[in-house]
């Protein structure tokens, strides 16, 4: 006959099973609670605000502003859907490096200049009336005699004062037979030389010498005028715009094969017409019109007035050098 088991063994086993079931239940609850709290921690880490850069942003330049405006059209066509917190944190923003073609600048339209410049008178207010009285300007016109009319004779002479006023202007009689009146240049005709107002060569020469006495003479190509008048004038009292070096031009090739005249050192006089237009804006000796000795004398005088300061310094330096050479020679 079997004996019954004691009650204590049964209760001990039941209590052990209950404890194991409770432990398993607690472990499953802990695992579920951890799974529920995991996404909330990720959200907290992603939602934490980033530290702002305390450094002040640089102001964009004009070129950068233009690029931003041009890129705004491209940016408007892109997607505007907001990204999630995870996607915004994981995907970095790429900067656009698209170069915009710069529009060419418009060229400013130059103002149309008149074809004929205005006459510019140079005022020398620093000179007194006595100093102005020391200056005169001269120009002469010639006609041709002999075969082909290559020999020149005086036909007209004009002298003006500092203010451009005419103090002497007359036609001169020619004793020899004139073979070329050079009317297209000089404007001289046979009637001018045969008129009662024309004076003899001796009268014209005497009057010119009287006007040039103790005066500073201004002109263009005075060597030819002196030759046809048969007179001379001191070099230190002569201001020839054809001999003033700043008014002259250099030749690319020498005139002669002399080695003393290398390339670029040969100076040649410019025409008075060119100098008056370039330096003063004066239009003289126009095409189809004869030359006016009064107009040419005034143009040479205005050129001298504009460059009088530098010109007189150059003459003073030449005079000092000449005096030094003469003293050494003595």
């Amino acid at each position: 006959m079997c004996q019954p088991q004691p009650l204590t063994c049964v209760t001990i086993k039941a209590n052990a099973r209950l404890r194991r079931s409770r432990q398993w239940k607690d472990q499953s609850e802990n695992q579920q609670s951890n799974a529920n709290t995991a996404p909330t921690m990720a959200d907290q880490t992603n939602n934490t605000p980033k530290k702002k850069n305390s450094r002040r942003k640089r102001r964009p330049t004009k070129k950068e502003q233009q690029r931003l405006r041009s890129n705004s059209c491209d940016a408007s066509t892109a997607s505007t859907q907001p990204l999630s917190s995870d996607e915004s944190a994981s995907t970095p923003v790429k900067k656009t490096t698209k170069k915009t073609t710069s529009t060419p600048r418009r060229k400013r339209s130059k103002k149309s200049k008149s074809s004929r410049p205005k006459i510019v008178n140079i005022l020398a207010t620093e000179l007194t009336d006595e100093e102005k009285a020391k200056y005169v300007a001269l120009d002469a016109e010639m006609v041709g005699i002999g075969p082909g009319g290559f020999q020149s004779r005086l036909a007209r002479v004009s002298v003006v004062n500092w203010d451009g006023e005419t103090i002497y202007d007359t036609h001169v009689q020619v004793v020899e037979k004139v073979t070329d009146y050079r009317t297209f240049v000089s404007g001289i005709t046979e009637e001018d030389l045969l008129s009662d107002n024309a004076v003899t060569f001796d009268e014209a020469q005497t009057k010119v010498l009287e006007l040039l006495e103790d005066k500073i003479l201004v002109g263009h190509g005075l060597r030819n005028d002196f030759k046809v008048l048969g007179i001379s004038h001191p070099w230190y009292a002569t201001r020839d715009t054809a001999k003033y070096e700043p008014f002259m031009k250099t030749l690319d090739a020498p005139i002669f094969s002399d080695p003393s005249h290398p390339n670029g050192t040969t100076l040649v006089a410019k025409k008075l017409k060119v100098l008056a237009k370039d330096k003063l804006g004066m239009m003289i000796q126009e095409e189809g019109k004869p030359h006016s000795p009064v107009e040419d004398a005034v143009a040479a005088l205005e050129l001298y007035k504009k460059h009088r300061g530098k010109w007189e310094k150059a003459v003073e330096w030449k005079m000092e050098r000449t005096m030094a050479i003469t003293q050494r020679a003595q």
Side-chain angles (χ1 to χ4, degrees), residues 52-58:
K52 295 184 179 180
N53 191 4
S54 60
R55 187 176 178 181
R56 187 176 181 181
K57 293 184 179 180
R58 181 176 60 84

Side-chain angles (χ1 to χ4, degrees), residues 3 21 68 72 75 149 203 219 246 283:
Q3 294 179 0
S21 64
L68 292 173
S72 61
E203 291 177 358
M283 300 294 294

Side-chain angles (χ1 to χ4, degrees), residues 289-329:
K289 295 182 180 180
H291 297 182
S292 172
V294 176
E295 191 179 48
D296 293 350
V298 171
L301 184 61
E302 293 298 327
L303 284 169
Y304 169 74
K305 288 180 183 179
K306 187 174 182 179
H307 298 267
R308 177 177 172 272
K310 294 182 179 179
W311 202 328
E312 290 302 324
K313 289 182 180 179
V315 173
E316 184 179 357
W317 178 81
K318 289 181 180 179
M319 291 178 64
E320 292 177 355
R321 187 176 180 184
T322 303
M323 292 177 62
I325 292 172
T326 54
Q327 290 178 359
R328 291 176 185 175

Side-chain angles (χ1 to χ4, degrees), residues 121-180:
N121 293 323
I122 308 301
L123 301 177
T125 55
E126 70 275 7
L127 295 180
T128 62
D129 293 338
E130 294 180 358
E131 292 175 339
K132 292 179 182 180
K134 295 179 181 179
Y135 293 91
V136 292
L138 178 142
D139 189 70
E141 296 294 340
M142 301 91 166
V143 294
I145 64 171
F150 295 108
Q151 296 181 9
S152 298
R153 290 292 182 269
L154 180 65
R156 184 181 176 184
V157 59
S158 303
V159 182
V160 298
N161 59 9
W162 177 266
D163 297 325
E165 299 173 351
T166 304
I167 57 179
Y168 187 68
D169 183 21
T170 184
H171 289 90
V172 182
Q173 299 173 3
V174 180
V175 179
E176 296 89 350
K177 182 181 179 180
V178 179
T179 57
D180 187 3

Side-chain angles (χ1 to χ4, degrees), residues 17-33:
R17 286 196 297 269
L18 182 61
R19 284 196 298 271
R20 285 196 296 270
S21 64
R22 287 179 179 178
Q23 289 177 359
W24 177 83
K25 187 176 181 180
D26 294 338
Q27 289 178 0
S28 62
E29 288 178 356
N30 291 333
Q31 289 178 357
Q32 290 179 0
S33 63

